[in-house]
Amino acid sequence: MTDKRQYTPPYTASNKKVLCLKRSKYDSTVMEDLPTELLFEMFTYLNSVDVIHCFTPLNQRFRFLVQAQQNKFDFKSVSKAKMKRFIHEHNTLGVLQWKILRLSDDEHTPGQIAFFFEQFPYQQHTSQLEFLSLIHMKPNYAQRILPQLEIFTNLVSLTLGNICGKQIETLNLPLLRSLAITSCKYNKWIQSFQQLKNLNYSIKLDCVHEHSLIWPTTLERLKIYFTQWQANEHVYASLQYLAQLKSLAIYDNSWAKSYPNGNRWQNLIESSLPLLTKFQFCFKFWYDTLSLMDINQILSTFTTPFYQEKRCFVQCDTHSNQFHEAVLYSLPFAFEQFELHTDSFGRSKTTLNDIHLTHENFFRKVKTLIVNVKCDDVNSDLLNDHVQHLVLTRSDILADWLFSMVYVRQLSLCNQIDMLSKDFFYLIKNMPCLDSLNTSFTKLTNLTDEWKNKLIRDQLSAKVRSLNLSFDQNRSYSTLHYVDPHEILSILDFFAEKCEHLTILISSKNIITDSILSTMRKLQSLTVYPKTDDQSIITHDWLRKQDIIKDLDCSFTINNDECTFWISNQ
């Protein structure tokens, strides 16, 4: 007699996957049943702000687990309403176990840093921090907070944004090992960090005071970004005392008139930087006439045995005829921003001759792609998902590959762009992830056919959560357009329903209360630049008298010609 009972195979590695797939069709697991160790492992992959927001209200067990485990808090892009709920819930949990904290005063969360430290004073709650990031600070607030930094005696890593070096006399942070800062060409105060190993220094503030670049001699890794004219010579001279340096990255955005010279850098490294093993760079320079022989001559200075031993490969991009701009950079490209200056990557010259490296993604670190010329033959690595910000700067640059940038989340269009409305429609239609748009009011008016193009309206209103209508790389007061009360209606028609962040120039301060705040019900942040006449000046007294400011629980900050609002009750 045949046994008709179903045969169950032994649980072996070969059928493990099949059994798991069968079970998954019928079985489900309640999160409450997961072991504590697995939940802790899951939490490590999440921001503590989100963990507390999602799991604390569930039950007492999750509340206890969250309290016991969370120590990493990143508030960048966290809305004011969510932050207030977090503070209310977390006051009972305490913050003494916090180790990592990141705050930002960018256009999405203006005033967040001051708001946080009003709720959690330095001395009482956060002096035990080991990693602290305070980014996009306004200079006037930075001047207030700098004297308080010495309270954080346990800091190992510090990130600061928009600091004038002249405002800092000295800082005593004895355990600091890593520093990232956006500042000016004065940094004598950094010498006090005698244990510092890693430094990321961006020179973006063009202060008028004296310049002095001096680095701690203990540095092992240094990354420098600068745009100021002749800053390249100051940087070069400042490197000669860094005998412990192992990694050097330089982004020279100053457009020097002298050609990059590999021999000069080789001499510096051999004489002053004996331990250096990694040298990465991007040099932009002008030229009057640049022949193929000139390019080869430049490249030859980077092909000596010295560079071959360090496996330092370089590439030079130029345009075939109309531009006098060239870029020389190391491969793989080491920076988050890449500018396109060549009409074809096929004509770029490189020292790369290692066949084993030709399939590597040399541009995997690039997040922002700036297109300055029409390039018909772009490197395919720049079309991958790591590029999420696309900037179009000049007219006649549209190429077919631009319409396949499906991973772009942020699109910036300069005033010099000359684009038909139908091309603009197809561009944004083919960007399913798009949620941020930066351009000028005048340019957007042209691209939308005077705000009458319904197809474009449907695309923008459905996608854009962040809108900056003051964007112009060549911004000057003679070309600025301040939106008047009639023109704001067109903007509201397109963006009022879903837009959460708005930056705009306005002709009258009444537009803030009568139109923007009263109509844009999803708005979480607002940055306005009013006209500088007496009728448009925004004052603290005027803002405090506006009922809608109170109703929406707006935190506001006035910084020169900029007024920002961080909104809670929308």
Side-chain angles (χ1 to χ4, degrees), residues 75 78 130 195 217 228 242 244 248 295 312 347 548:
F75 290 96
V78 172
E130 296 178 5
Q195 304 299 322
T217 57
Q228 288 78 8
L242 301 181
Q244 303 300 315
L248 174 64
I295 298 175
C312 181
R347 67 187 306 273
I548 195 169

Side-chain angles (χ1 to χ4, degrees), residues 266-369:
Q266 177 180 338
N267 293 337
L268 172 68
I269 294 170
E270 290 180 330
S271 62
S272 303
L273 313 175
L275 300 182
L276 194 74
T277 58
K278 181 183 290 186
F279 181 35
Q280 300 168 302
F281 50 82
C282 178
F283 300 125
K284 300 179 182 180
F285 59 99
W286 293 99
Y287 63 90
D288 294 325
T289 59
L290 192 64
S291 65
L292 179 59
M293 184 179 298
D294 295 327
I295 298 175
N296 290 333
Q297 177 60 34
I298 294 173
L299 291 178
S300 68
T301 65
F302 291 91
T303 58
T304 63
F306 170 84
Y307 288 100
Q308 293 175 4
E309 291 173 3
K310 296 185 180 299
R311 299 183 67 77
C312 181
F313 306 102
V314 301
Q315 180 162 310
C316 185
D317 295 343
T318 60
H319 197 278
S320 59
N321 48 33
Q322 71 222 60
F323 294 97
H324 297 282
E325 303 167 352
V327 185
L328 181 83
Y329 50 88
S330 58
L331 293 174
F333 194 75
F335 308 93
E336 294 185 354
Q337 176 178 298
F338 182 80
E339 292 197 35
L340 201 57
H341 288 280
T342 181
D343 52 343
S344 172
F345 271 85
R347 67 187 306 273
S348 296
K349 298 299 180 182
T350 178
T351 64
L352 180 65
N353 57 10
D354 192 330
I355 191 171
H356 299 293
L357 296 176
T358 54
H359 297 293
E360 183 178 345
N361 184 346
F362 289 119
F363 298 95
R364 61 184 177 275
K365 290 188 178 181
V366 176
K367 295 181 179 179
T368 298
L369 176 61

Side-chain angles (χ1 to χ4, degrees), residues 423-476:
D423 292 329
F424 179 57
F425 168 72
Y426 285 115
L427 186 67
I428 59 177
K429 183 176 182 248
N430 292 331
M431 293 179 177
C433 302
L434 182 69
D435 61 14
S436 180
L437 177 64
N438 306 317
T439 188
S440 68
F441 174 82
T442 302
K443 179 52 59 179
L444 193 55
T445 300
N446 295 335
L447 292 172
T448 58
D449 296 328
E450 307 292 328
W451 305 94
K452 297 176 183 177
N453 192 310
K454 187 178 183 303
L455 292 176
I456 293 178
R457 180 195 181 279
D458 292 344
Q459 287 289 324
L460 294 179
S461 61
K463 293 180 177 179
V464 173
R465 299 294 183 272
S466 178
L467 177 66
N468 183 346
L469 290 178
S470 69
F471 179 79
D472 184 2
Q473 282 191 327
N474 299 316
R475 183 177 174 185
S476 63

